[in-house]
Amino acid sequence: MQDLHGRKLKSVYDYIVVGSGSAGSVLAARLAESGQYSVLLLEAGKSDNVIYIKMPAALGIPLQDDKYNWFLHSEEEPGLNNRKVLEARGKTLGGSSSINGMNWVRGNPWDYDNWAALGNSGWSYKEVLPYFKRSETFDKGENQYRGGAGPMKIETCKAKGALYDAFIKSAMEAGYQYIEDANAYKQEGVHITQRNVHKGLRWSTSRGYIHAAGPKENLHVVTEAYAQKIKFVNKRADKLVVSIAGVEQEFHINKEIISCAGALHTPHLLLHSGIGDQADLKKVGVNVVHHLPGVGRGLKDHVAAPVQYSSIPGSSSAGKLSALGRLKIGIQWIFAKKGLGATNFFEVGAFCRTSEEVKVPDVQFEFVPFLGDFQHGKLKLSDGFQYFFSLMRPKSEGRVWIESNDPKVPPKFVFNYLTHEEDVKVAVAAVKEIRRVIAHDAWKPVRQNEVLPGAHIQTDEQIVAFLRDNAGTNYHPCCTCRMGSDEMAVTDHEAKVHGLDNVRIVDASIMPEIVSGNLNAPIIMMAEKVSDLILGKRPLAAADADYYKL
């Protein structure tokens, strides 16, 4: 067996990292940097050397097939009229950072102070901010909030066009404050977004931490390598069983195994390894290694739904995205890495509070300058614009489980979207708030008719019915192996699995609570921080930067 660079694999590694996504590529690179330890990075998918992964504007393509996407579906969602929801997860180097929307959002600083308040020492905002900074190179330069020399290249979107202008101006007319940098002092308000795109290329974690750094002698990266089961001697992880291009192989673990497989696949790996609720494991014929009932529990996601309007002909980007238009865009991007091919289209956004009683923004608006459906694996385009709102801190939660002892069988999961009355209330308020903003004068020159929910949908009951038919995921699953010290916590504040000697988890599954924004940047921060913990380094000094509080 060989790695990505044709080097023969060893039978023993100091550190084995499962999953090369937003956390895995970061951890593997940082652990290998010193040259002291051998590191094996395993990715179940193929290489990311693919044009529609590299090209930002092609982000919709991986959502439509299962070649570079696990293409998982939830079980029937009781709050969504028993619909099954597509949950796209990256199945390639870079994981979901190779197929996501590239929005660079840290979450609200309050989120991390809340993590610390829940008993997770070391995770307050001032303690994690240095790791956010270490991870990035921000195009507007380093300051007390932003990094200037990190592997992730972050650019501020250009946001040029009538629809982007109308989005910003209408929000300000509606009373929103314009925020220069929503990843700094204040999140609430309207802003031009930031994205992990550099010189026209998607800047995933695999690109920033693996490819850009070049080969390391002590780091072996293996694709088409599906981790099936961890074997234990007592409570110590001894071997990892991996299927590489269909051939089963075992690797010995000298120091630690670190699962970075994500909020759905990390519990899947643990459960098949005998780590989970013992009653559930016995039902499916898995030998119990360690009773840990929280594995797979507490699944959360940012439930989301679209509000769409048609616009005057030629006002949106839809006309440029015809078959001929896409060909021209592709040619320009291939030869110059410029033009529409270099955008992710999500160039403006906002965070708002739906009630004066809420102290931290509870809804995010993302925006695209055409009508299209990215949500269910489809892409249909026409003139118009779309506000895509997400609930930042949903109360509804689901779980991940297995119904077979065959690790090749995908995990089962359900989110239970909109099953908590508070989530329903906030979602209805979000629809009304978007309509309020769009009614302002800035939209008049280009706005036409409301497409979704539609002008005939007015009462709260009608809006709820619309949401149950149309709401879905913003592809942000988390919290299924959360940090904490209570009986349902799976990991401690250093990401170690409770009751096991040498197993850690570093991905969205260990979030104690979902954060107020997209998950990519927070997961990268977590991997940066935990890499120091693993290597026994002194934590970076806490920042002295403050943040906005009501």
Side-chain angles (χ1 to χ4, degrees), residues 39-57:
V39 182
L40 177 64
L41 176 61
L42 301 171
E43 169 54 50
K46 298 177 184 292
S47 167
D48 56 349
N49 188 24
V50 180
I51 188 169
Y52 63 71
I53 288 177
K54 295 179 180 180
M55 181 180 181

Side-chain angles (χ1 to χ4, degrees), residues 73 86 136 226 333 418 428 436 451 463 468:
H73 288 78
L86 168 67
E136 69 176 15
Y226 181 57
W333 181 84
L418 299 180
V428 169
R436 185 184 76 84
V451 177
I463 295 173
R468 298 206 188 282

Side-chain angles (χ1 to χ4, degrees), residues 507-521:
D507 56 32
S509 69
I510 69 170
M511 289 182 169
E513 287 285 352
I514 194 167
V515 297
S516 307
N518 310 64
L519 301 192
N520 187 36

Side-chain angles (χ1 to χ4, degrees), residues 50-53 55 57-69 71 99 326 374 377 379:
V50 180
I51 188 169
Y52 63 71
I53 288 177
M55 181 180 181
L59 62 95
I61 295 176
L63 301 183
Q64 300 176 70
D65 63 49
D66 60 0
K67 192 171 183 181
Y68 297 95
N69 173 4
F71 213 71
I99 69 167
R326 290 197 295 271
F374 286 99
L379 184 59

Side-chain angles (χ1 to χ4, degrees), residues 4-159:
L4 196 63
H5 300 288
R7 298 173 298 189
K8 185 178 180 180
L9 300 183
K10 301 190 297 183
S11 60
V12 182
Y13 288 88
D14 291 323
Y15 294 100
I16 298 179
V17 180
V18 178
S20 70
S22 297
S25 288
V26 179
L27 264 175
R30 292 302 191 195
L31 294 177
E33 269 182 350
S34 68
Q36 294 177 307
Y37 305 108
S38 58
V39 182
L40 177 64
L41 176 61
L42 301 171
E43 169 54 50
K46 298 177 184 292
S47 167
D48 56 349
N49 188 24
V50 180
I51 188 169
Y52 63 71
I53 288 177
K54 295 179 180 180
M55 181 180 181
L59 62 95
I61 295 176
L63 301 183
Q64 300 176 70
D65 63 49
D66 60 0
K67 192 171 183 181
Y68 297 95
N69 173 4
W70 286 98
F71 213 71
L72 301 172
H73 288 78
S74 73
E75 297 303 292
E76 292 181 348
E77 292 288 347
L80 302 184
N81 296 330
N82 293 320
R83 289 185 289 117
K84 292 187 175 184
V85 173
L86 168 67
E87 183 59 41
R89 299 282 85 203
K91 189 180 180 183
T92 180
L93 277 174
S96 294
S97 77
S98 289
I99 69 167
N100 67 1
M102 290 159 279
N103 288 346
W104 191 256
V105 179
R106 290 178 172 179
N108 194 287
W110 175 89
D111 295 322
Y112 305 103
D113 283 352
N114 184 51
W115 285 11
L118 292 171
N120 299 288
S121 61
W123 292 94
S124 70
Y125 175 63
K126 291 189 176 184
E127 289 169 302
V128 303
L129 178 56
Y131 290 100
F132 274 118
K133 292 179 65 177
R134 188 169 85 176
S135 73
E136 69 176 15
T137 298
F138 184 44
D139 66 346
K140 292 189 175 180
E142 184 174 4
N143 58 42
Q144 62 178 330
Y145 298 99
R146 306 308 302 265
M152 295 301 295
K153 309 291 187 181
I154 311 304
E155 69 176 24
T156 306
C157 297
K158 296 179 174 61

Side-chain angles (χ1 to χ4, degrees), residues 297-486:
R297 300 285 178 169
L299 174 63
K300 288 204 170 184
D301 185 16
H302 291 131
V303 63
V307 174
Q308 300 178 340
Y309 281 73
S310 59
S311 62
I312 62 173
S315 61
S316 79
S317 300
K320 299 176 183 177
L321 297 173
S322 65
L324 179 59
R326 290 197 295 271
L327 178 61
K328 292 179 179 178
I329 290 168
I331 291 172
Q332 183 183 22
W333 181 84
I334 288 170
F335 288 102
K337 300 296 184 290
K338 294 181 179 180
L340 277 183
T343 180
N344 61 344
F345 297 106
F346 297 100
E347 300 205 9
V348 291
F351 289 92
C352 74
R353 291 176 294 124
T354 59
S355 165
E356 290 298 322
E357 300 165 4
V358 178
K359 301 304 181 185
V360 180
D362 57 351
V363 169
Q364 178 186 16
F365 298 153
E366 295 173 291
F367 179 84
V368 287
F370 49 81
L371 289 186
D373 185 358
F374 286 99
Q375 191 181 4
H376 306 296
K378 302 173 184 176
L379 184 59
K380 297 180 180 179
L381 304 176
S382 59
D383 271 319
F385 57 90
Q386 174 172 286
Y387 283 63
F388 193 64
F389 76 83
S390 304
L391 306 193
M392 291 293 90
R393 289 177 301 284
K395 305 287 187 184
S396 306
E397 63 178 46
R399 67 185 182 107
V400 179
W401 71 98
I402 58 174
E403 292 184 354
S404 166
N405 60 12
D406 182 355
K408 297 184 182 67
V409 175
K412 298 281 187 179
F413 59 96
V414 65
F415 289 101
N416 290 323
Y417 297 122
L418 299 180
T419 55
H420 194 289
E421 61 182 13
E422 184 65 23
D423 293 352
V424 176
K425 177 183 174 183
V426 175
V428 169
V431 172
K432 292 179 178 179
E433 177 63 9
I434 291 170
R435 285 172 162 174
R436 185 184 76 84
V437 173
I438 293 175
H440 281 78
D441 289 345
W443 276 116
K444 285 184 179 179
V446 289
R447 182 190 64 227
Q448 289 192 328
N449 301 316
E450 184 176 309
V451 177
L452 286 176
H456 62 292
I457 304 295
Q458 290 296 326
T459 68
D460 286 5
E461 291 76 14
Q462 289 173 326
I463 295 173
V464 171
F466 160 77
L467 291 169
R468 298 206 188 282
D469 281 338
N470 291 274
T473 175
N474 206 3
Y475 305 122
H476 298 156
C478 58
C479 302
T480 51
C481 294
R482 62 178 176 81
M483 289 191 287
S485 56
D486 61 279

